[in-house]
Amino acid sequence: MRLQCRASQVNLGEKLPPRGDLLVGLTDGRILMQLCVELCGASFRIPEVSSNRYRWMENINQVLAFLQRQFGADLSDVGAGDIVGNKIQPTLRVLWCLILAQYAYAPDESPETPQARSEKEIRSAVLRWCREECRKFDVDVQNLGAPWKKGLAFAALLMSHLANDELQSLLQKIDLDSSADVLNTVFQLAEEKFGTPRLLDAEDFELSRFDEKSILAYLISLKQSIEGRSASRNDSSLEISS
């Protein structure tokens, strides 16, 4: 099975506001609507910029309704007021649903009747990719548990796509004995190097907050960013050689 999103050329990191401005940037719902259009094929008409809070709520309600109707997203306890109110967890849940939703169909396999992919199938395919990449650094990935909590699997994924000098630089500044240091360093590097939105922090891996769906959504975004960078490099090489 091959995962493919409806708009695989879209890099989520290029569409989201910087991490420090993430919540404020999504408040009026316009960026979320645009992501639904570009990632998931929604037919929204993106409204003009407005300072009207009720317009913001209307925009976000359209996004929530679309994700629930089209992809069965469990957002029953997320309200437009949560996003307008800059609440971090509800906002991230909507983003995670968007990331997962873009991989819900593989239209290339059946153009007329796209076949829906279950979360189990998506998880299996993403883990298979992770397993192949992490094997290069002797990190065993069987699930979304221990290797991810410690940060070693994230580090192995990045290291398999870094140039030698970048790899050496990472190894010099990372403390492999500190899970928090590994996680935060890797997330920062992924954002800087591949444009992967930094939707996770080391604190998210505490037992009381650990959420496998969040990790899966981040891995999908990371995979997309890495493959998008590789495709850009290949295109550049072709242009130079021609």
Side-chain angles (χ1 to χ4, degrees):
M1 180 186 68
R2 181 162 65 90
L3 290 179
Q4 178 173 330
C5 62
R6 291 190 173 197
S8 58
Q9 74 278 13
V10 176
N11 186 328
L12 189 62
E14 296 174 354
K15 301 295 179 181
L16 290 176
R19 181 172 174 79
D21 302 322
L22 180 62
L23 295 180
V24 175
L26 299 178
T27 297
D28 68 358
R30 295 176 69 254
I31 291 179
L32 291 175
M33 294 179 77
Q34 188 67 43
L35 288 173
C36 284
V37 170
E38 298 193 25
L39 298 180
C40 308
S43 57
F44 295 141
R45 184 182 67 82
I46 310 302
E48 298 293 330
V49 176
S50 171
S51 59
N52 188 317
R53 185 183 178 91
Y54 293 103
R55 290 281 181 86
W56 299 356
M57 301 274 281
E58 183 180 341
N59 295 342
I60 294 167
N61 279 325
Q62 288 188 65
V63 169
L64 297 178
F66 170 77
L67 290 174
Q68 292 179 88
R69 179 181 66 254
Q70 196 73 13
F71 299 102
D74 182 12
L75 295 169
S76 57
D77 57 343
V78 175
D82 295 326
I83 312 301
V84 173
N86 295 335
K87 293 185 178 179
I88 181 67
Q89 289 304 321
T91 301
L92 291 182
R93 280 189 60 192
V94 173
L95 289 176
W96 292 327
C97 285
L98 273 167
I99 294 170
L100 290 173
Q102 66 173 313
Y103 281 93
Y105 291 91
D108 59 316
E109 294 181 6
S110 180
E112 296 181 0
T113 56
Q115 182 180 2
R117 299 302 188 195
S118 68
E119 183 178 321
K120 182 178 180 180
E121 290 175 310
I122 294 173
R123 177 189 296 252
S124 176
V126 172
L127 278 175
R128 184 164 57 249
W129 172 73
C130 293
R131 195 174 299 119
E132 293 171 356
E133 299 297 320
C134 291
R135 187 180 295 127
K136 303 171 187 176
F137 292 90
D138 199 27
V139 176
D140 185 28
V141 173
Q142 297 299 327
N143 50 46
L144 295 174
W148 305 103
K149 290 181 182 179
K150 295 179 180 179
L152 298 179
F154 287 114
L157 275 180
L158 278 193
M159 289 191 295
S160 64
H161 292 276
L162 295 177
N164 287 335
D165 57 334
E166 296 171 329
L167 176 57
Q168 293 303 319
S169 175
L170 174 63
L171 292 175
Q172 288 175 5
K173 66 181 180 181
I174 200 170
D175 181 3
L176 294 176
D177 293 325
S178 169
S179 297
D181 185 68
V182 173
L183 288 166
N184 285 326
T185 300
V186 166
F187 294 148
Q188 180 179 348
L189 180 60
E191 184 175 43
E192 294 173 353
K193 192 70 182 175
F194 300 107
T196 307
R198 186 174 175 177
L199 302 179
L200 295 174
D201 276 316
E203 291 78 9
D204 294 315
F205 290 79
E206 297 173 0
L207 289 179
S208 60
R209 300 176 58 180
F210 187 73
D211 180 6
E212 289 192 357
K213 287 187 177 181
S214 302
I215 296 177
L216 178 61
Y218 180 81
L219 289 173
I220 290 173
S221 183
L222 179 62
K223 181 177 185 291
Q224 180 190 31
S225 300
I226 289 174
E227 292 179 346
R229 180 175 183 251
S230 298
S232 297
R233 281 187 166 183
N234 291 337
D235 290 343
S236 298
S237 298
L238 289 174
E239 290 175 5
I240 293 173
S241 61
S242 60

